[in-house]
Every structure is written in C-alpha cells, then in structure tokens.
Amino acid sequence: MSAATTALPAAGERERAPLAPLSRLRLLTRNKLALTGAVAAALLVLIAVGAPLIAPYDPARPDFTAALRPPGWAHWLGTDDLGRDQLSRVVYGVRASLQIGLLAVALAFAAGVPLGLIAGYYGRFADSVVSRLTDTLLAFPFLVLAVGLATILGPSLLNATIAVGVSQIPAVIRITRAETLRLKHLDYVAAAVANGGGDGTVLFRHILPGALSALTVQATVGIPTAIIGEALLSFLGLGVQPPSPSLGVMLSSAQAYIAAAPWMAVFPGLAIIAATLAFNLLGDGLRDILDPQGDSR
C-alpha cells in the first residue's frame, strides 16, 4: 500500500479551482513588470536563436588593424584588444549564456523532480536518504559548489553546464518534495488511490501536474542563477574557452583594458544584467499569477 493511503485528507481542506489559461494571461498582461520581463526574455531568446543572422562579424575572427576601437558606425559596440567586434561577441555570448541556463535548469529538473516526488510521496527511508543528500549539497553555497565541480570536471561548455545544473538540484528537490507533501493529502489524490491508481499514475497524473506552478516559477528563477554561474565559471577560465565568445570570457579579457577601453567590460556586463533582470521579473510575475493562494482573487 502506498504512503498516500496512510493519511486521510485534512479536515475541511478544499481544492481551489485553478484559473483558466486566458485568465492567467490577462493577469500577466496587467502586471507591467512581469510583462516587461516576458518581452525582454523573449527578445533574448530570439537574439540567441538568430545569432548567426544578427551578428555583423565573425565573433572569433581577429582584426589587429581595428584593435580597441571605440563604439562607432563600423563597430556599434566597439572592438576588443584583438579587433573582434564586440556586438557580435555579445550576441553569441548571450547565446552561450542562455544555452547553459536552459540546459542546466533542464538537468536540475530531470534529476531533482523525481527525487523530490519520491521523498515527498513515500516518506520514511526514501525521504531520509534524499533529504540527507539535499542537505549535503546545500552545505556548499551555489557558486562554491559550481566552481568545485567545474574544477574537477575540467573547463568546457558541457562541464560548466553540468556543474551549474548539479548545483541547482537541491532547490528543485526541496520545492518538489514540499509540493508533493501538500498535494498527496488532497481529496482528488486520495480518490485516485481509492480507485486503484498505482503509484506511477498518482505521482505523474495527479501530483506532478499540481506542482507545475511552483516548478515553473523555480525554472524562471533558476535560469538567471545559471547565467550568473556560467559568467563566473567562464571568467575564472572554467567554462567557455577562448576564442569562443562568452560574456564571462569577455569580462575576463576586459580586466587589463578597463581604463583604456571601458566598453569591453560595460556591454557584456549590461547583457548579463539584462538577462538576469528579465527572467527575475518574469519569475516574480509568474509567482503572483500561479500562486495557489491567489486563485480565489
């Protein structure tokens, strides 16, 4: 008998009818900050996807005759110490940041959601094991854990993605576990168990869909965290390797020229700020819209 059958639904606990998708969309359009974040995030995704069409130059091709040129008509964001076009490198740097951000979050969810479901649904030994694993990972700050894993795995785009993704698994486990503990005592889950639903059916057809709101918000919060993690790893030489463009690599190269060519650091830094701010605003808006406590409004 599954763990869900051992506990009766809480007395007087009622399920709230979720808002229809159109109603949630109207709430999003009314939230100006969330709408701004959604538009900015969509624009960044379009830039990343269309990078080969948007970038006016080859981002890795040096032109020593144009080294350290300030922003102008030929190079809108200037050039770096090797004469490479900064606009092209920022565009491809945004592409690398979003690639790592999305893949790292996907990795964290692929590992963290099943573990959180198991811990919250079965409890006892399974919950104890998963909770101890989570506590162990949470003992290390996110960036410290990411840097340590990247150092062990070696510098590369793939290893940076794995390091950032693994560092985000504890947060996903905790949210999934908490949602599972809340949802497994509701009437419709108890009814599914009483009607003969197996553990897999209850978990993936009844509990997981109910947890998607919280997980969606976590994803939008995890992406900017992953972007900052990628920038840090690349800045330290543990992520994307030169001459491949990355916002962190660009900031690292700009250190020696911060006084003579400040644009080398300003524009990659602004790109990181824009990306993290866009997804954070979107996440805050989604939290307000998808919050179960707000469904009755």
Side-chain angles (χ1 to χ4, degrees):
M1 181 178 296
S2 64
T5 62
T6 61
L8 295 176
E13 185 172 11
R14 296 183 301 172
E15 303 169 38
R16 296 181 183 269
L19 290 176
L22 287 178
S23 299
R24 296 190 187 277
L25 183 59
R26 292 192 193 99
L27 288 176
L28 178 62
T29 57
R30 293 173 185 171
N31 189 324
K32 302 304 181 183
L33 290 178
L35 184 59
T36 301
V39 172
L43 181 60
L44 289 170
V45 172
L46 289 177
I47 291 174
V49 173
L53 301 176
I54 298 173
Y57 299 93
D58 183 345
R61 182 178 180 180
D63 181 4
F64 297 106
T65 62
L68 298 179
R69 285 188 180 178
W73 287 110
H75 301 279
W76 289 5
L77 302 186
T79 62
D80 64 5
D81 56 313
L82 299 180
R84 295 172 295 191
D85 181 65
Q86 284 285 94
L87 174 58
S88 301
R89 291 182 66 77
V90 167
V91 167
Y92 274 88
V94 168
R95 187 183 200 181
S97 294
L98 289 185
Q99 178 182 343
I100 287 185
L102 294 174
L103 291 178
V105 169
L107 173 61
F109 272 61
V113 169
L115 290 175
L117 287 172
I118 292 172
Y121 187 71
Y122 293 104
R124 297 184 180 180
F125 178 75
D127 189 17
S128 178
V129 171
V130 174
S131 296
R132 297 296 78 75
L133 173 63
T134 304
D135 292 341
T136 301
L137 293 176
L138 288 174
F140 301 92
F142 167 77
L143 293 178
V144 173
L145 181 59
V147 169
L149 290 174
T151 303
I152 294 172
L153 296 174
S156 73
L157 178 64
L158 175 61
N159 291 340
T161 303
I162 295 173
V164 174
V166 170
S167 301
Q168 293 202 5
I169 289 177
V172 177
I173 291 177
R174 295 185 69 178
I175 290 176
T176 307
R177 175 181 176 275
E179 286 296 295
T180 303
L181 289 172
R182 179 180 68 86
L183 293 168
K184 75 176 184 178
H185 296 304
L186 297 183
D187 292 344
Y188 74 94
V189 176
V193 175
N195 288 331
D199 290 350
T201 300
V202 173
L203 283 171
F204 293 103
R205 292 189 59 183
H206 299 285
I207 292 181
L208 182 57
L212 284 181
S213 295
L215 292 175
T216 299
V217 173
Q218 175 58 31
T220 58
V221 174
I223 291 175
T225 304
I227 290 174
I228 294 176
E230 180 277 327
L232 173 66
L233 293 179
S234 297
F235 182 85
L236 297 175
L238 298 172
V240 178
Q241 297 299 295
S244 298
S246 163
L247 299 178
V249 170
M250 295 176 70
L251 288 176
S252 180
S253 301
Q255 290 184 92
Y257 303 93
I258 192 66
W263 57 86
M264 287 181 60
V266 169
F267 295 116
L270 289 177
I272 293 174
I273 293 173
T276 55
L277 182 61
F279 284 101
N280 277 323
L281 290 177
L282 178 59
D284 288 341
L286 289 177
R287 182 182 293 109
D288 294 338
I289 295 167
L290 300 176
D291 182 5
Q293 300 301 323
D295 285 353
S296 59
R297 289 175 299 185

